[in-house]
Amino acid sequence: MSAAPDACVIGIDFGTLSGRAVVVRVADGEELGSAVEDYAHAVIERELPATGAPLPAQWALQEPEDWLDVVRRAVPAAIAAAGIAPEQVIGIATDFTASTPLPVLADGTPLCRLPELADRPHAYPKLWKHHAAQAQADRINAVAAERGERWLARYGGRISSEWEFAKALQVLEEDPEIYERMDRWVEGADWIVWQLCGAETRNTCTAGYKAIFQDGGYPSEDYLRALDERFADFVTAKIGGPLADLGARAGRLTAQAAAWTGLPEGIAVAVGNVDAHVTAPAARAVEPGQMLMIMGTSTCHVMNGDELVEVPGMCGVVDGGIVRGLWGYEAGQTGVGDIFAWFVDNAVPPRYHEQARERGLDVHGYLSELAGEQEVGQHGLIALDWNNGNRSVLVDHDLSGLILGLTLATRAEDVYRALIEATAFGTRKIIETFEASGLPVRELFVAGGLLKNAVIMQIYADVTRRALHLTESEQGPALGSAMHAAVAAGAYPDIGAASAAMGRVRRDVYVPDDARADAYDALYEHYSRLHDHFGRGGDDVMHALRHIRPREVARG
């Protein structure tokens, strides 16, 4: 390590509902202090704050000023909590949800900040779970398949409605004036770095996974023209430019950003990164075959491989997408913690809330306790974990949730456990698809808020028949970002070295029970039948219902 013994770095994790800053000692990864700033606007899903106008179904926007509030408030608070002098900080790095792109002017000003555009929904950042661009994604995939575009297989055969191209095409088709006004279409991951160092940069991770950058280039102008004549120059005009490797220095902290944070002007600012991928070094899950699940509102599965393999339904494979020199693979589930929260918020009787309070537990903890007392299959239910669509391996956000086997004897804890099991089955489906494609998953690591729930963790171990290794840090993405800040500042030569020195993991915290695993094998067969029936053409009822629902929402 080439840094002073008391040198520190700061990692900032920009999540779905809040941002977290953590101060980390460079020498050993010790987390000295942290602070959280909730987004004032949270997720903008129902109405536009500027006007109160209702938003259509499947929209999810954010307000970029909320992100800057994290920089202005959480960073100084974390420094104060750590009890260090700001001069000890030698670098800062960030990670972000993705794909969360926004339209900006040439100087980085978001279009939603312009008074004359504040009432235009397409002027705002589109959060990762904005799924209203499915029609555009369908056309992107159909045209690519017709033309035999080679890059399509790198994304499991389907580009997601969550990603940059589909969302940009939606802007073009639904509000062409906004599309023309924007000089750049930029990921939140790169925009926040722009605000810190004063220069636009693009990172290889978001470009590769979310913007179809493969083998040194984006999709061709001919392909883009085939989508829409007006879209032909999207790459050259809106997103083109050099890409920076993960851990590289994007620039130095500007005087303005130094005033926001209280940090010294001129310290290293690392290039942006994605919240899931940046967590792998924090968990020491950087070797081929080590799959990391980042489990929160959704789950992202990332893993390195030493060779290129095309996996059906994966979110992408990118050269150097996680660590340099290896192929980084991504898959994921769009609803996990969000599904549990939906159930608690909308379908749990009042008596459970009262009993939870009497026990000194929150409702999730109480339901988990009750669910954990059950034997496998005792509730007689099977669920599909598609309440927020399916990211992997079907890549279809028009799918929806399902619970089969309900009777008048079904209780809230039964459904809660079935929903947990459904998400575990979804992860098993992803693992099996990777392995069937020749990419063995040798170990399973876990990061994110859900690792605190012992019932969820044990069910995942039993369903997947794998021991679970848990990150010691409760803020894995922020810690991973801090490691990249250390590399950008020159304290370590690469992220592998930083991970070895600063990462922490507890191995074999949960191990599978053979009897329960055998019982889950039988349930998983039923899950797989339902998965293929409703997800692979056996019955189109979910799509039919989805097409009805937006009209019903509009009438309401």
Side-chain angles (χ1 to χ4, degrees), residues 127-183:
L127 183 61
W128 65 268
K129 64 178 183 177
H130 175 94
H131 291 151
Q134 187 62 50
Q136 289 76 19
D138 290 343
R139 196 161 77 260
I140 286 170
N141 291 320
V143 173
E146 290 169 5
R147 291 169 53 91
E149 297 288 343
R150 293 181 59 187
W151 45 259
L152 189 61
R154 299 280 179 90
Y155 301 94
R158 303 183 82 175
I159 301 301
S160 172
S161 66
E162 295 181 356
W163 300 349
E164 281 191 34
F165 276 66
K167 289 173 174 173
L169 192 57
Q170 185 193 13
V171 175
L172 172 64
E173 295 180 344
E174 296 182 5
D175 196 339
E177 182 183 350
I178 291 293
Y179 185 84
E180 288 302 317
R181 287 288 298 275
M182 75 178 184
D183 294 312

Coordinates of all heavy atoms in Angstrom, one line a residue, residues 127-183:
L127 N -35.5 5.9 -13.5 CA -34.9 5.0 -12.6 C -34.8 3.6 -13.2 O -35.5 3.3 -14.1 CB -35.7 4.9 -11.3 CG -35.2 4.0 -10.1 CD1 -33.9 4.5 -9.6 CD2 -36.3 4.1 -9.0
W128 N -33.9 2.7 -12.6 CA -33.7 1.4 -13.2 C -35.1 0.7 -13.4 O -35.3 -0.1 -14.3 CB -32.8 0.6 -12.3 CG -33.3 0.3 -10.9 CD1 -33.1 1.1 -9.8 CD2 -34.1 -0.8 -10.5 NE1 -33.8 0.5 -8.7 CE2 -34.4 -0.6 -9.1 CE3 -34.7 -1.9 -11.2 CZ2 -35.2 -1.5 -8.4 CZ3 -35.4 -2.8 -10.5 CH2 -35.7 -2.6 -9.1
K129 N -36.0 0.8 -12.4 CA -37.2 0.0 -12.5 C -38.3 0.8 -13.3 O -39.5 0.4 -13.1 CB -37.7 -0.4 -11.1 CG -38.1 0.7 -10.2 CD -38.6 0.1 -8.9 CE -39.1 1.1 -7.9 NZ -39.7 0.5 -6.7
H130 N -38.0 1.7 -14.1 CA -38.9 2.3 -15.1 C -39.1 1.3 -16.2 O -38.2 1.0 -16.9 CB -38.3 3.6 -15.6 CG -39.1 4.2 -16.7 ND1 -40.1 5.2 -16.5 CD2 -39.1 4.0 -18.1 CE1 -40.6 5.5 -17.7 NE2 -40.1 4.8 -18.6
H131 N -40.3 0.7 -16.3 CA -40.5 -0.4 -17.2 C -41.5 0.0 -18.3 O -42.0 -0.9 -19.0 CB -41.0 -1.6 -16.5 CG -40.0 -2.3 -15.6 ND1 -40.4 -3.0 -14.4 CD2 -38.7 -2.3 -15.6 CE1 -39.3 -3.4 -13.8 NE2 -38.3 -3.0 -14.6
A132 N -41.7 1.3 -18.5 CA -42.6 1.7 -19.5 C -42.1 1.7 -20.9 O -42.8 2.1 -21.9 CB -43.2 3.1 -19.1
A133 N -40.8 1.3 -21.1 CA -40.2 1.3 -22.4 C -40.2 -0.1 -23.0 O -39.4 -0.5 -23.8 CB -38.8 1.9 -22.4
Q134 N -41.1 -1.0 -22.5 CA -41.1 -2.4 -23.0 C -41.4 -2.5 -24.5 O -40.8 -3.3 -25.2 CB -42.1 -3.2 -22.2 CG -42.1 -4.7 -22.5 CD -40.7 -5.3 -22.1 OE1 -40.3 -5.2 -21.0 NE2 -40.1 -6.0 -23.1
A135 N -42.3 -1.7 -25.0 CA -42.6 -1.7 -26.4 C -41.3 -1.4 -27.3 O -41.0 -2.0 -28.3 CB -43.7 -0.7 -26.8
Q136 N -40.5 -0.4 -26.8 CA -39.3 -0.1 -27.5 C -38.3 -1.2 -27.4 O -37.6 -1.5 -28.3 CB -38.7 1.3 -26.9 CG -39.5 2.5 -27.3 CD -40.8 2.7 -26.5 OE1 -41.0 2.1 -25.4 NE2 -41.8 3.5 -27.0
A137 N -38.2 -1.8 -26.2 CA -37.3 -2.9 -26.0 C -37.6 -4.1 -26.9 O -36.8 -4.7 -27.5 CB -37.3 -3.4 -24.5
D138 N -39.0 -4.3 -27.1 CA -39.4 -5.4 -27.9 C -38.9 -5.2 -29.4 O -38.5 -6.1 -30.1 CB -40.9 -5.5 -27.9 CG -41.4 -6.1 -26.6 OD1 -40.6 -6.7 -25.8 OD2 -42.6 -5.9 -26.3
R139 N -39.0 -3.9 -29.8 CA -38.6 -3.6 -31.2 C -37.1 -3.7 -31.3 O -36.6 -4.1 -32.4 CB -39.1 -2.2 -31.6 CG -39.1 -2.0 -33.1 CD -40.0 -0.9 -33.6 NE -39.4 0.4 -33.4 CZ -39.8 1.2 -32.4 NH1 -40.7 0.8 -31.6 NH2 -39.3 2.4 -32.2
I140 N -36.4 -3.2 -30.3 CA -34.9 -3.3 -30.3 C -34.5 -4.8 -30.5 O -33.6 -5.1 -31.3 CB -34.3 -2.7 -29.0 CG1 -34.4 -1.2 -29.1 CG2 -32.9 -3.2 -28.8 CD1 -34.1 -0.5 -27.7
N141 N -35.2 -5.7 -29.8 CA -34.8 -7.1 -29.9 C -35.2 -7.7 -31.2 O -34.5 -8.4 -31.8 CB -35.5 -7.8 -28.7 CG -34.9 -7.5 -27.4 OD1 -33.7 -7.3 -27.3 ND2 -35.7 -7.3 -26.4
A142 N -36.4 -7.3 -31.7 CA -36.9 -7.9 -33.0 C -36.0 -7.5 -34.1 O -35.6 -8.3 -35.0 CB -38.3 -7.5 -33.2
V143 N -35.7 -6.2 -34.2 CA -34.8 -5.7 -35.3 C -33.4 -6.3 -35.2 O -32.9 -6.7 -36.2 CB -34.8 -4.2 -35.3 CG1 -33.8 -3.7 -36.3 CG2 -36.2 -3.6 -35.6
A144 N -32.9 -6.4 -34.0 CA -31.6 -7.0 -33.8 C -31.6 -8.5 -34.3 O -30.6 -9.0 -34.9 CB -31.1 -6.9 -32.4
A145 N -32.6 -9.2 -33.9 CA -32.7 -10.6 -34.3 C -32.9 -10.8 -35.8 O -32.2 -11.6 -36.4 CB -33.9 -11.3 -33.6
E146 N -33.7 -9.9 -36.4 CA -33.9 -10.0 -37.9 C -32.6 -9.7 -38.6 O -32.3 -10.3 -39.7 CB -34.9 -8.9 -38.3 CG -36.3 -9.3 -37.9 CD -37.3 -8.1 -38.1 OE1 -36.8 -7.1 -38.7 OE2 -38.5 -8.2 -37.7
R147 N -31.8 -8.8 -38.1 CA -30.5 -8.4 -38.7 C -29.3 -9.3 -38.3 O -28.2 -9.1 -38.9 CB -30.2 -6.9 -38.4 CG -31.1 -5.9 -39.0 CD -30.9 -4.5 -38.4 NE -29.5 -4.1 -38.4 CZ -29.0 -3.4 -39.4 NH1 -29.7 -3.0 -40.5 NH2 -27.7 -3.1 -39.4
G148 N -29.5 -10.1 -37.4 CA -28.5 -11.0 -36.9 C -27.4 -10.2 -36.2 O -26.2 -10.6 -36.4
E149 N -27.7 -9.3 -35.4 CA -26.7 -8.5 -34.7 C -26.0 -9.4 -33.7 O -26.6 -10.0 -32.8 CB -27.4 -7.3 -34.0 CG -28.1 -6.3 -34.9 CD -27.1 -5.4 -35.7 OE1 -25.9 -5.4 -35.3 OE2 -27.5 -4.8 -36.7
R150 N -24.7 -9.4 -33.8 CA -23.9 -10.3 -33.0 C -23.9 -10.0 -31.5 O -23.8 -10.9 -30.7 CB -22.4 -10.3 -33.5 CG -22.3 -10.9 -34.9 CD -20.8 -10.9 -35.3 NE -20.0 -11.7 -34.4 CZ -18.6 -11.7 -34.4 NH1 -18.0 -11.0 -35.4 NH2 -18.0 -12.5 -33.6
W151 N -24.1 -8.7 -31.2 CA -24.1 -8.3 -29.8 C -25.3 -8.8 -29.0 O -25.3 -8.9 -27.8 CB -24.0 -6.8 -29.6 CG -24.9 -6.0 -30.5 CD1 -24.5 -5.4 -31.7 CD2 -26.3 -5.7 -30.3 NE1 -25.6 -4.7 -32.2 CE2 -26.7 -4.9 -31.4 CE3 -27.2 -6.1 -29.4 CZ2 -28.0 -4.4 -31.5 CZ3 -28.5 -5.6 -29.5 CH2 -28.9 -4.8 -30.6
L152 N -26.4 -9.2 -29.7 CA -27.6 -9.6 -29.0 C -27.3 -10.8 -28.0 O -27.9 -10.9 -26.9 CB -28.7 -9.9 -30.0 CG -30.1 -10.1 -29.4 CD1 -30.6 -8.9 -28.6 CD2 -31.1 -10.5 -30.5
A153 N -26.5 -11.8 -28.5 CA -26.3 -13.0 -27.7 C -25.5 -12.6 -26.4 O -25.6 -13.4 -25.4 CB -25.5 -14.0 -28.5
R154 N -24.8 -11.5 -26.4 CA -24.0 -11.1 -25.2 C -25.0 -10.7 -24.1 O -24.6 -10.5 -22.9 CB -23.1 -10.0 -25.5 CG -22.0 -10.3 -26.6 CD -20.9 -11.1 -26.0 NE -19.9 -11.4 -27.0 CZ -18.8 -10.6 -27.3 NH1 -18.7 -9.5 -26.7 NH2 -18.0 -11.0 -28.3
Y155 N -26.2 -10.5 -24.4 CA -27.2 -10.1 -23.4 C -28.3 -11.1 -23.3 O -29.5 -10.8 -23.0 CB -27.8 -8.7 -23.8 CG -26.7 -7.7 -23.8 CD1 -26.1 -7.4 -25.0 CD2 -26.3 -7.0 -22.7 CE1 -25.1 -6.4 -25.1 CE2 -25.3 -6.1 -22.7 CZ -24.7 -5.8 -23.9 OH -23.7 -4.9 -24.0
G156 N -27.9 -12.4 -23.5 CA -28.9 -13.5 -23.3 C -30.0 -13.5 -24.4 O -31.0 -14.2 -24.2
G157 N -29.8 -12.8 -25.5 CA -30.8 -12.8 -26.5 C -31.8 -11.7 -26.4 O -32.7 -11.6 -27.4
R158 N -31.8 -10.9 -25.4 CA -32.9 -9.9 -25.2 C -32.3 -8.7 -24.5 O -31.7 -8.8 -23.4 CB -34.1 -10.4 -24.5 CG -34.7 -11.6 -25.1 CD -36.0 -12.1 -24.4 NE -37.1 -11.3 -24.8 CZ -38.4 -11.6 -24.4 NH1 -38.6 -12.6 -23.5 NH2 -39.4 -10.9 -24.8
I159 N -32.6 -7.5 -25.1 CA -32.2 -6.2 -24.4 C -33.4 -5.8 -23.5 O -34.6 -5.9 -23.9 CB -31.9 -5.1 -25.4 CG1 -30.7 -5.6 -26.3 CG2 -31.6 -3.8 -24.8 CD1 -29.5 -5.8 -25.6
S160 N -33.1 -5.3 -22.3 CA -34.1 -5.0 -21.3 C -34.7 -3.7 -21.5 O -34.0 -2.7 -21.9 CB -33.6 -5.2 -19.9 OG -34.5 -4.7 -19.0
S161 N -36.0 -3.5 -21.1 CA -36.6 -2.2 -21.1 C -36.0 -1.3 -20.1 O -36.2 -0.1 -20.1 CB -38.1 -2.4 -20.9 OG -38.4 -2.8 -19.6
E162 N -35.3 -1.9 -19.1 CA -34.6 -1.1 -18.1 C -33.4 -0.3 -18.6 O -32.9 0.6 -17.9 CB -34.2 -2.0 -16.9 CG -35.3 -2.7 -16.2 CD -34.8 -3.5 -15.0 OE1 -33.6 -3.6 -14.9 OE2 -35.6 -4.1 -14.3
W163 N -32.9 -0.6 -19.8 CA -31.6 -0.1 -20.2 C -31.7 1.1 -21.0 O -32.7 1.6 -21.4 CB -30.8 -1.2 -20.9 CG -30.6 -2.4 -20.0 CD1 -30.8 -2.5 -18.7 CD2 -30.2 -3.7 -20.5 NE1 -30.6 -3.8 -18.2 CE2 -30.1 -4.6 -19.3 CE3 -29.8 -4.2 -21.7 CZ2 -29.7 -5.9 -19.4 CZ3 -29.4 -5.6 -21.8 CH2 -29.4 -6.4 -20.6
E164 N -30.5 1.7 -21.3 CA -30.4 3.0 -21.9 C -31.1 3.1 -23.3 O -31.8 4.1 -23.5 CB -28.9 3.3 -22.1 CG -28.2 3.8 -20.9 CD -26.8 4.4 -21.2 OE1 -26.6 5.0 -22.3 OE2 -25.9 4.2 -20.4
F165 N -30.9 2.2 -24.2 CA -31.4 2.4 -25.5 C -32.9 2.4 -25.6 O -33.5 3.2 -26.2 CB -30.9 1.3 -26.4 CG -29.5 1.6 -27.0 CD1 -28.4 1.7 -26.1 CD2 -29.3 1.8 -28.3 CE1 -27.1 2.0 -26.6 CE2 -28.0 2.1 -28.8 CZ -26.9 2.2 -28.0
A166 N -33.6 1.5 -24.8 CA -35.0 1.4 -24.8 C -35.6 2.7 -24.2 O -36.6 3.3 -24.7 CB -35.5 0.2 -24.1
K167 N -35.0 3.2 -23.1 CA -35.5 4.4 -22.5 C -35.3 5.6 -23.4 O -36.2 6.5 -23.4 CB -34.8 4.5 -21.1 CG -35.3 3.5 -20.1 CD -34.5 3.6 -18.8 CE -35.1 2.7 -17.7 NZ -34.3 2.6 -16.5
A168 N -34.2 5.7 -24.0 CA -33.9 6.8 -24.9 C -34.9 6.8 -26.1 O -35.4 7.8 -26.6 CB -32.5 6.8 -25.4
L169 N -35.1 5.6 -26.7 CA -36.1 5.5 -27.8 C -37.5 5.9 -27.4 O -38.2 6.5 -28.1 CB -36.0 4.0 -28.3 CG -36.7 3.8 -29.7 CD1 -36.2 4.7 -30.8 CD2 -36.6 2.3 -30.1
Q170 N -37.8 5.5 -26.1 CA -39.1 6.0 -25.6 C -39.2 7.5 -25.6 O -40.3 8.1 -25.9 CB -39.4 5.4 -24.2 CG -40.8 5.7 -23.7 CD -41.0 5.4 -22.2 OE1 -40.0 5.2 -21.5 NE2 -42.2 5.5 -21.7
V171 N -38.2 8.2 -25.1 CA -38.2 9.6 -25.1 C -38.4 10.2 -26.5 O -39.2 11.1 -26.8 CB -36.8 10.2 -24.5 CG1 -36.8 11.7 -24.6 CG2 -36.7 9.7 -23.1
L172 N -37.6 9.6 -27.5 CA -37.7 10.1 -28.9 C -39.1 10.0 -29.4 O -39.6 10.9 -30.0 CB -36.7 9.3 -29.7 CG -36.9 9.5 -31.2 CD1 -36.5 10.9 -31.6 CD2 -36.0 8.5 -32.0
E173 N -39.8 8.8 -29.1 CA -41.1 8.6 -29.7 C -42.2 9.3 -29.0 O -43.2 9.7 -29.6 CB -41.3 7.1 -29.7 CG -40.3 6.3 -30.7 CD -40.6 4.8 -30.7 OE1 -41.3 4.3 -29.8 OE2 -40.0 4.2 -31.6
E174 N -42.1 9.5 -27.7 CA -43.2 10.1 -26.9 C -43.0 11.6 -26.7 O -44.0 12.3 -26.4 CB -43.3 9.3 -25.6 CG -43.7 7.9 -25.8 CD -43.9 7.1 -24.5 OE1 -43.8 7.8 -23.4 OE2 -44.1 5.9 -24.5
D175 N -41.8 12.1 -26.7 CA -41.5 13.5 -26.5 C -40.3 13.9 -27.3 O -39.2 14.2 -26.8 CB -41.3 13.9 -25.0 CG -41.5 15.4 -24.8 OD1 -41.3 16.2 -25.7 OD2 -41.8 15.7 -23.6
P176 N -40.4 14.0 -28.7 CA -39.3 14.3 -29.5 C -38.6 15.6 -29.2 O -37.4 15.8 -29.5 CB -39.9 14.2 -30.9 CG -41.3 14.3 -30.8 CD -41.7 13.7 -29.4
E177 N -39.4 16.6 -28.6 CA -38.8 17.9 -28.3 C -37.7 17.7 -27.2 O -36.7 18.3 -27.3 CB -39.8 18.9 -27.9 CG -39.3 20.2 -27.6 CD -40.3 21.2 -27.1 OE1 -41.5 20.9 -27.2 OE2 -39.9 22.3 -26.6
I178 N -38.1 16.9 -26.2 CA -37.1 16.6 -25.2 C -35.9 15.9 -25.7 O -34.7 16.2 -25.4 CB -37.7 15.8 -24.0 CG1 -38.8 16.6 -23.3 CG2 -36.6 15.2 -23.1 CD1 -38.2 17.7 -22.5
Y179 N -36.1 15.0 -26.6 CA -35.0 14.2 -27.2 C -34.1 15.2 -28.0 O -32.8 15.1 -27.9 CB -35.5 13.2 -28.2 CG -34.4 12.3 -28.8 CD1 -33.9 11.2 -28.1 CD2 -33.9 12.6 -30.0 CE1 -32.9 10.4 -28.6 CE2 -32.9 11.8 -30.6 CZ -32.4 10.7 -29.9 OH -31.4 10.0 -30.4
E180 N -34.6 16.2 -28.7 CA -33.8 17.1 -29.4 C -33.1 18.1 -28.5 O -32.0 18.5 -28.8 CB -34.7 17.9 -30.4 CG -35.2 17.1 -31.6 CD -34.0 16.5 -32.4 OE1 -33.0 17.3 -32.7 OE2 -34.1 15.3 -32.8
R181 N -33.8 18.5 -27.4 CA -33.2 19.4 -26.5 C -32.0 18.8 -25.7 O -31.0 19.5 -25.4 CB -34.2 19.9 -25.5 CG -35.2 20.9 -26.0 CD -34.7 22.2 -26.3 NE -34.1 22.9 -25.1 CZ -34.8 23.6 -24.3 NH1 -36.1 23.8 -24.4 NH2 -34.2 24.2 -23.3
M182 N -32.0 17.5 -25.5 CA -30.9 16.9 -24.7 C -29.6 16.8 -25.6 O -29.6 16.3 -26.7 CB -31.3 15.6 -24.2 CG -31.3 14.4 -25.1 SD -31.7 12.9 -24.2 CE -31.5 11.7 -25.6
D183 N -28.5 17.3 -25.0 CA -27.2 17.2 -25.7 C -26.6 15.9 -25.4 O -25.9 15.3 -26.3 CB -26.3 18.3 -25.3 CG -26.8 19.7 -25.7 OD1 -27.1 19.8 -26.9 OD2 -26.8 20.6 -24.9

